[in-house]
Every structure is written in C-alpha cells, then in structure tokens.
Amino acid sequence: MQAEQQDHKPDLEISNGGFHPMFSSQDGDVVLGSKDRVLFRVHSYTLKTTSGWFRAMYSLPQRDTGASATLPDTIFVDEDAATLEGLLRMACGLSIPRLDSYDIIEPLLHAAEKYDMPGPMSIVRALVVSPPLLADPLRLYAIACRYGWSDEAMMASRYTLTLNLHAPEHRPTLAKLSTDALLNLFHLHHTRRETLRRRLDDPPFVNDSGDTSCSNCGSLVDYHTWRELKYVIIMEMDGRPLGDTVCNPGLLEWPAARACWNAKCNNCDRVLYDKTLTMRVIRECIEQLPTTIDPLPPPYPSPMLPRTPSGTMTPSD
C-alpha cells in the first residue's frame, strides 16, 4: 500500500456544490456533503461495512424517498473535503493520500474515531512512524497516547529524549496530553537525570561530599573540579535527557571537563582523574538508563452493538 506521490487538493479543483471526481459514480446510492459543500457519492454497503456509525444509522427505519428520486438525500458532515476524501479513499480501497503531516492525519483520525472506522485508523497507525512524522516526536506521542497505541507511544517517548520539555515551544502540545501521559513522560525524563546523578557518586567515581585524599600520596584533596563537572553533566541531561552530547562533545570540550582532566594533587603533582576510564564509565551509565515510558494500559473495550435476529446491528438502548 503506497501513498500517492502528488497531493490532491479538492478545494482547488472542485467548485462548491459539485461532485468530487473520484466519488461521482451514478452507482452510488448515498451522497455525503463536506462542510465546504463538496459532494461524495458512495455505496451505502461500503459505509455499512466499514463504519459502525453508518451501520447503526442504517439499522434504523429509513424514510422512503420514492422510486422517482434521481438523487438521494445528501448527508452533510462536519469534515472538510480533504478529510472526507482521505477517509473515503481508505474505506473504499482506493489509493491513499499522502500522510506525511500531522495537519493531515489528525483530522483523519478524529473522523475515523467519530464514525467508528477501524480500517482508516489502522492505516494511519501503520504509517504514523514514518520519518516525516517522527520529526515531531512529542506530537506523535500525544496522538499515540490519545488512541491507546502503546508501541507507538513508547517509541515516541524515546525520541522525545532529545527535547527539553520545559521549553516554551512545547507547551501547546503538552497541554493536549492526558494527566497520565504527561506524568509518564516527565517521569521518564526526570528518572534519567536523577539516576545518573546518583550513579556519579558511586564507585569508581570519587565522592566529593566529604574530606578525601589523594590515592597516590594520601594528602587531602579538594575535588571541586569533579563537583563542578557533575553539575554541568546533570544540567545537560536536564535539557537533553538522551545524554548523547555528554560524552561528545561535552566531556571533550566543556571548560569544566578540561579543568577536571587537568586537575592535579598539590603535593605530588599527580593527575587526579583518569579521563579515559571516567568517560567510559559515564557512557556506560547513560546507556543503562531507561529509554521509554512503561507500556500503556490496555484500552477500554469498545461497546458491542447487539445483533437483531436478522443479523443487522442496532444501537444499544
């Protein structure tokens, strides 16, 4: 299944009140109208088999339009022509539109959920982890949590580790998250930072909280350069929890890092820190940090519509 390579823009090609060229067959017995007055003629059987909403609607008694009617009644919906076209193309087995923008897929997902159309929903889910959409992992995370897509939410949470969630440009997207989704994401970022902070006080790292001595001559040593470097590392993890910039270029180029590697004992003039060992252990500590949120809880099951003796679906009371 491949998306078309050229964008289709019905608002530029179809005058208001006209039929969409892909959905104008006289064989269709249902006309759907978009909010911008573009008409789509489709088969009711297609709608009934792909949409729980239309299946429930057609299970109700229908008004007799008469045998002389040349055009069925038009059902106007809230979606614009672009969204309705994409939804119907997926439902009817036609070539799908380009799904490389959140401005395209978010209205499609909203409509698919509204009309209970799992087919289009599953197509969008399969394509939502494509590179153009992964470029905005926070928005992908919001969508995945909204629809209970656990694997996609975990993947998106890993990609958010390059972001500083406290930056003002992310506030509008974060505001759309549920409380649980927001707390889970902040917990992941916070856990990575705080776990590394605690680990930097454990062996083989020196503990700078009390009096320490030179391992070579035994004289008292002030490990303030290590303390300052730890602070810079933690601040870097706070702004970019992925930690990929800590070892390179951080530990190679930061002024605090250079001061640490050049620090020597005042008594025996021995270098206080093993640069190679320290960098290797810090890298290993970062690699052992958690990379994703915990799996999402299973979604609530969709309500089942009872079957009538004839096998049709009817809405629950």
Side-chain angles (χ1 to χ4, degrees), residues 4-25:
E4 287 191 347
Q5 297 302 310
Q6 294 183 351
D7 292 330
H8 191 78
K9 300 179 180 179
D11 54 326
L12 298 179
E13 301 175 0
I14 307 169
S15 60
N16 289 345
F19 279 96
H20 190 288
M22 297 182 69
F23 298 93
S24 59
S25 172

PDB file of all heavy atoms in Angstrom, residues 4-25:
ATOM      1  N   GLU A   4      -0.082   8.173  -2.718  1.00  0.00           N
ATOM      2  CA  GLU A   4       0.142   8.835  -3.989  1.00  0.00           C
ATOM      3  C   GLU A   4       1.248   9.859  -3.848  1.00  0.00           C
ATOM      4  O   GLU A   4       1.427  10.493  -2.818  1.00  0.00           O
ATOM      5  CB  GLU A   4      -1.148   9.511  -4.456  1.00  0.00           C
ATOM      6  CG  GLU A   4      -2.184   8.515  -4.955  1.00  0.00           C
ATOM      7  CD  GLU A   4      -3.329   9.245  -5.657  1.00  0.00           C
ATOM      8  OE1 GLU A   4      -3.408  10.474  -5.521  1.00  0.00           O
ATOM      9  OE2 GLU A   4      -4.111   8.584  -6.325  1.00  0.00           O
ATOM     10  N   GLN A   5       2.004  10.049  -4.892  1.00  0.00           N
ATOM     11  CA  GLN A   5       3.141  10.954  -4.857  1.00  0.00           C
ATOM     12  C   GLN A   5       2.752  12.405  -5.068  1.00  0.00           C
ATOM     13  O   GLN A   5       3.540  13.301  -4.836  1.00  0.00           O
ATOM     14  CB  GLN A   5       4.168  10.530  -5.917  1.00  0.00           C
ATOM     15  CG  GLN A   5       4.743   9.153  -5.653  1.00  0.00           C
ATOM     16  CD  GLN A   5       5.403   9.096  -4.293  1.00  0.00           C
ATOM     17  OE1 GLN A   5       6.209   9.953  -3.953  1.00  0.00           O
ATOM     18  NE2 GLN A   5       5.050   8.110  -3.492  1.00  0.00           N
ATOM     19  N   GLN A   6       1.524  12.664  -5.539  1.00  0.00           N
ATOM     20  CA  GLN A   6       1.096  14.041  -5.764  1.00  0.00           C
ATOM     21  C   GLN A   6      -0.053  14.359  -4.828  1.00  0.00           C
ATOM     22  O   GLN A   6      -0.963  13.556  -4.632  1.00  0.00           O
ATOM     23  CB  GLN A   6       0.646  14.232  -7.215  1.00  0.00           C
ATOM     24  CG  GLN A   6       1.785  14.070  -8.223  1.00  0.00           C
ATOM     25  CD  GLN A   6       1.317  14.342  -9.633  1.00  0.00           C
ATOM     26  OE1 GLN A   6       0.121  14.493  -9.874  1.00  0.00           O
ATOM     27  NE2 GLN A   6       2.245  14.399 -10.546  1.00  0.00           N
ATOM     28  N   ASP A   7       0.013  15.507  -4.215  1.00  0.00           N
ATOM     29  CA  ASP A   7      -1.060  15.938  -3.328  1.00  0.00           C
ATOM     30  C   ASP A   7      -2.323  16.180  -4.129  1.00  0.00           C
ATOM     31  O   ASP A   7      -2.295  16.679  -5.249  1.00  0.00           O
ATOM     32  CB  ASP A   7      -0.676  17.235  -2.596  1.00  0.00           C
ATOM     33  CG  ASP A   7       0.448  16.992  -1.616  1.00  0.00           C
ATOM     34  OD1 ASP A   7       0.528  15.863  -1.103  1.00  0.00           O
ATOM     35  OD2 ASP A   7       1.238  17.927  -1.393  1.00  0.00           O
ATOM     36  N   HIS A   8      -3.467  15.820  -3.504  1.00  0.00           N
ATOM     37  CA  HIS A   8      -4.741  16.074  -4.144  1.00  0.00           C
ATOM     38  C   HIS A   8      -5.473  17.120  -3.327  1.00  0.00           C
ATOM     39  O   HIS A   8      -5.694  16.933  -2.139  1.00  0.00           O
ATOM     40  CB  HIS A   8      -5.559  14.781  -4.190  1.00  0.00           C
ATOM     41  CG  HIS A   8      -6.781  14.896  -5.074  1.00  0.00           C
ATOM     42  ND1 HIS A   8      -6.708  14.827  -6.441  1.00  0.00           N
ATOM     43  CD2 HIS A   8      -8.077  15.094  -4.767  1.00  0.00           C
ATOM     44  CE1 HIS A   8      -7.933  14.951  -6.955  1.00  0.00           C
ATOM     45  NE2 HIS A   8      -8.763  15.119  -5.950  1.00  0.00           N
ATOM     46  N   LYS A   9      -5.841  18.221  -3.924  1.00  0.00           N
ATOM     47  CA  LYS A   9      -6.450  19.328  -3.200  1.00  0.00           C
ATOM     48  C   LYS A   9      -7.812  19.630  -3.798  1.00  0.00           C
ATOM     49  O   LYS A   9      -7.948  20.397  -4.747  1.00  0.00           O
ATOM     50  CB  LYS A   9      -5.555  20.575  -3.258  1.00  0.00           C
ATOM     51  CG  LYS A   9      -4.167  20.330  -2.649  1.00  0.00           C
ATOM     52  CD  LYS A   9      -3.314  21.563  -2.736  1.00  0.00           C
ATOM     53  CE  LYS A   9      -1.936  21.326  -2.128  1.00  0.00           C
ATOM     54  NZ  LYS A   9      -1.065  22.504  -2.216  1.00  0.00           N
ATOM     55  N   PRO A  10      -8.870  19.015  -3.230  1.00  0.00           N
ATOM     56  CA  PRO A  10     -10.177  19.190  -3.814  1.00  0.00           C
ATOM     57  C   PRO A  10     -10.682  20.617  -3.769  1.00  0.00           C
ATOM     58  O   PRO A  10     -11.456  21.035  -4.609  1.00  0.00           O
ATOM     59  CB  PRO A  10     -11.065  18.248  -2.980  1.00  0.00           C
ATOM     60  CG  PRO A  10     -10.302  18.038  -1.709  1.00  0.00           C
ATOM     61  CD  PRO A  10      -8.863  18.120  -2.076  1.00  0.00           C
ATOM     62  N   ASP A  11     -10.232  21.393  -2.779  1.00  0.00           N
ATOM     63  CA  ASP A  11     -10.743  22.756  -2.680  1.00  0.00           C
ATOM     64  C   ASP A  11     -10.258  23.628  -3.831  1.00  0.00           C
ATOM     65  O   ASP A  11     -10.815  24.682  -4.090  1.00  0.00           O
ATOM     66  CB  ASP A  11     -10.338  23.370  -1.342  1.00  0.00           C
ATOM     67  CG  ASP A  11      -8.842  23.293  -1.129  1.00  0.00           C
ATOM     68  OD1 ASP A  11      -8.222  22.316  -1.583  1.00  0.00           O
ATOM     69  OD2 ASP A  11      -8.314  24.227  -0.511  1.00  0.00           O
ATOM     70  N   LEU A  12      -9.195  23.176  -4.530  1.00  0.00           N
ATOM     71  CA  LEU A  12      -8.702  23.945  -5.657  1.00  0.00           C
ATOM     72  C   LEU A  12      -9.288  23.460  -6.980  1.00  0.00           C
ATOM     73  O   LEU A  12      -9.225  24.162  -7.978  1.00  0.00           O
ATOM     74  CB  LEU A  12      -7.179  23.858  -5.719  1.00  0.00           C
ATOM     75  CG  LEU A  12      -6.422  24.422  -4.507  1.00  0.00           C
ATOM     76  CD1 LEU A  12      -4.923  24.251  -4.714  1.00  0.00           C
ATOM     77  CD2 LEU A  12      -6.772  25.878  -4.279  1.00  0.00           C
ATOM     78  N   GLU A  13      -9.835  22.253  -7.001  1.00  0.00           N
ATOM     79  CA  GLU A  13     -10.252  21.658  -8.258  1.00  0.00           C
ATOM     80  C   GLU A  13     -11.766  21.501  -8.386  1.00  0.00           C
ATOM     81  O   GLU A  13     -12.259  21.241  -9.464  1.00  0.00           O
ATOM     82  CB  GLU A  13      -9.590  20.282  -8.410  1.00  0.00           C
ATOM     83  CG  GLU A  13      -8.065  20.354  -8.383  1.00  0.00           C
ATOM     84  CD  GLU A  13      -7.440  18.969  -8.420  1.00  0.00           C
ATOM     85  OE1 GLU A  13      -8.210  17.987  -8.475  1.00  0.00           O
ATOM     86  OE2 GLU A  13      -6.213  18.867  -8.405  1.00  0.00           O
ATOM     87  N   ILE A  14     -12.479  21.620  -7.310  1.00  0.00           N
ATOM     88  CA  ILE A  14     -13.912  21.354  -7.332  1.00  0.00           C
ATOM     89  C   ILE A  14     -14.657  22.589  -6.860  1.00  0.00           C
ATOM     90  O   ILE A  14     -14.373  23.130  -5.796  1.00  0.00           O
ATOM     91  CB  ILE A  14     -14.261  20.169  -6.413  1.00  0.00           C
ATOM     92  CG1 ILE A  14     -13.398  18.965  -6.772  1.00  0.00           C
ATOM     93  CG2 ILE A  14     -15.727  19.819  -6.521  1.00  0.00           C
ATOM     94  CD1 ILE A  14     -13.495  17.858  -5.756  1.00  0.00           C
ATOM     95  N   SER A  15     -15.582  23.030  -7.628  1.00  0.00           N
ATOM     96  CA  SER A  15     -16.387  24.172  -7.210  1.00  0.00           C
ATOM     97  C   SER A  15     -17.349  23.735  -6.129  1.00  0.00           C
ATOM     98  O   SER A  15     -17.751  22.582  -6.048  1.00  0.00           O
ATOM     99  CB  SER A  15     -17.164  24.724  -8.415  1.00  0.00           C
ATOM    100  OG  SER A  15     -18.024  23.730  -8.952  1.00  0.00           O
ATOM    101  N   ASN A  16     -17.719  24.665  -5.261  1.00  0.00           N
ATOM    102  CA  ASN A  16     -18.647  24.360  -4.176  1.00  0.00           C
ATOM    103  C   ASN A  16     -19.948  23.800  -4.728  1.00  0.00           C
ATOM    104  O   ASN A  16     -20.535  24.320  -5.659  1.00  0.00           O
ATOM    105  CB  ASN A  16     -18.940  25.629  -3.361  1.00  0.00           C
ATOM    106  CG  ASN A  16     -17.732  26.048  -2.532  1.00  0.00           C
ATOM    107  OD1 ASN A  16     -16.815  25.262  -2.357  1.00  0.00           O
ATOM    108  ND2 ASN A  16     -17.763  27.265  -2.036  1.00  0.00           N
ATOM    109  N   GLY A  17     -20.395  22.712  -4.112  1.00  0.00           N
ATOM    110  CA  GLY A  17     -21.642  22.089  -4.532  1.00  0.00           C
ATOM    111  C   GLY A  17     -21.465  21.051  -5.623  1.00  0.00           C
ATOM    112  O   GLY A  17     -22.420  20.385  -5.997  1.00  0.00           O
ATOM    113  N   GLY A  18     -20.246  20.849  -6.149  1.00  0.00           N
ATOM    114  CA  GLY A  18     -20.002  19.864  -7.190  1.00  0.00           C
ATOM    115  C   GLY A  18     -19.558  18.543  -6.607  1.00  0.00           C
ATOM    116  O   GLY A  18     -19.172  18.449  -5.439  1.00  0.00           O
ATOM    117  N   PHE A  19     -19.621  17.505  -7.449  1.00  0.00           N
ATOM    118  CA  PHE A  19     -19.188  16.189  -7.018  1.00  0.00           C
ATOM    119  C   PHE A  19     -17.671  16.047  -7.141  1.00  0.00           C
ATOM    120  O   PHE A  19     -17.066  16.531  -8.096  1.00  0.00           O
ATOM    121  CB  PHE A  19     -19.869  15.102  -7.858  1.00  0.00           C
ATOM    122  CG  PHE A  19     -21.261  14.775  -7.400  1.00  0.00           C
ATOM    123  CD1 PHE A  19     -22.358  15.369  -7.992  1.00  0.00           C
ATOM    124  CD2 PHE A  19     -21.468  13.869  -6.369  1.00  0.00           C
ATOM    125  CE1 PHE A  19     -23.646  15.072  -7.577  1.00  0.00           C
ATOM    126  CE2 PHE A  19     -22.744  13.572  -5.945  1.00  0.00           C
ATOM    127  CZ  PHE A  19     -23.850  14.168  -6.547  1.00  0.00           C
ATOM    128  N   HIS A  20     -17.105  15.376  -6.167  1.00  0.00           N
ATOM    129  CA  HIS A  20     -15.697  15.044  -6.239  1.00  0.00           C
ATOM    130  C   HIS A  20     -15.501  14.039  -7.371  1.00  0.00           C
ATOM    131  O   HIS A  20     -16.261  13.072  -7.493  1.00  0.00           O
ATOM    132  CB  HIS A  20     -15.240  14.431  -4.902  1.00  0.00           C
ATOM    133  CG  HIS A  20     -13.768  14.274  -4.786  1.00  0.00           C
ATOM    134  ND1 HIS A  20     -13.056  13.333  -5.480  1.00  0.00           N
ATOM    135  CD2 HIS A  20     -12.856  14.956  -4.037  1.00  0.00           C
ATOM    136  CE1 HIS A  20     -11.780  13.415  -5.176  1.00  0.00           C
ATOM    137  NE2 HIS A  20     -11.626  14.396  -4.299  1.00  0.00           N
ATOM    138  N   PRO A  21     -14.494  14.246  -8.240  1.00  0.00           N
ATOM    139  CA  PRO A  21     -14.362  13.369  -9.406  1.00  0.00           C
ATOM    140  C   PRO A  21     -14.118  11.914  -9.059  1.00  0.00           C
ATOM    141  O   PRO A  21     -14.468  11.030  -9.851  1.00  0.00           O
ATOM    142  CB  PRO A  21     -13.163  13.962 -10.154  1.00  0.00           C
ATOM    143  CG  PRO A  21     -12.445  14.806  -9.151  1.00  0.00           C
ATOM    144  CD  PRO A  21     -13.497  15.321  -8.237  1.00  0.00           C
ATOM    145  N   MET A  22     -13.541  11.618  -7.901  1.00  0.00           N
ATOM    146  CA  MET A  22     -13.306  10.229  -7.517  1.00  0.00           C
ATOM    147  C   MET A  22     -14.547   9.579  -6.920  1.00  0.00           C
ATOM    148  O   MET A  22     -14.601   8.353  -6.769  1.00  0.00           O
ATOM    149  CB  MET A  22     -12.147  10.131  -6.518  1.00  0.00           C
ATOM    150  CG  MET A  22     -10.811  10.576  -7.056  1.00  0.00           C
ATOM    151  SD  MET A  22      -9.477  10.388  -5.840  1.00  0.00           S
ATOM    152  CE  MET A  22      -9.358   8.600  -5.766  1.00  0.00           C
ATOM    153  N   PHE A  23     -15.542  10.389  -6.581  1.00  0.00           N
ATOM    154  CA  PHE A  23     -16.750   9.871  -5.932  1.00  0.00           C
ATOM    155  C   PHE A  23     -17.984  10.495  -6.592  1.00  0.00           C
ATOM    156  O   PHE A  23     -18.752  11.218  -5.959  1.00  0.00           O
ATOM    157  CB  PHE A  23     -16.723  10.180  -4.433  1.00  0.00           C
ATOM    158  CG  PHE A  23     -15.567   9.546  -3.713  1.00  0.00           C
ATOM    159  CD1 PHE A  23     -14.378  10.244  -3.521  1.00  0.00           C
ATOM    160  CD2 PHE A  23     -15.651   8.241  -3.249  1.00  0.00           C
ATOM    161  CE1 PHE A  23     -13.298   9.660  -2.871  1.00  0.00           C
ATOM    162  CE2 PHE A  23     -14.588   7.651  -2.592  1.00  0.00           C
ATOM    163  CZ  PHE A  23     -13.408   8.351  -2.410  1.00  0.00           C
ATOM    164  N   SER A  24     -18.143  10.222  -7.866  1.00  0.00           N
ATOM    165  CA  SER A  24     -19.276  10.792  -8.610  1.00  0.00           C
ATOM    166  C   SER A  24     -20.026   9.740  -9.419  1.00  0.00           C
ATOM    167  O   SER A  24     -20.867  10.085 -10.244  1.00  0.00           O
ATOM    168  CB  SER A  24     -18.759  11.893  -9.551  1.00  0.00           C
ATOM    169  OG  SER A  24     -17.797  11.367 -10.457  1.00  0.00           O
ATOM    170  N   SER A  25     -19.742   8.457  -9.167  1.00  0.00           N
ATOM    171  CA  SER A  25     -20.385   7.389  -9.930  1.00  0.00           C
ATOM    172  C   SER A  25     -21.886   7.352  -9.659  1.00  0.00           C
ATOM    173  O   SER A  25     -22.337   7.484  -8.511  1.00  0.00           O
ATOM    174  CB  SER A  25     -19.759   6.043  -9.575  1.00  0.00           C
ATOM    175  OG  SER A  25     -20.484   4.982 -10.168  1.00  0.00           O
TER     176      SER A  25
END
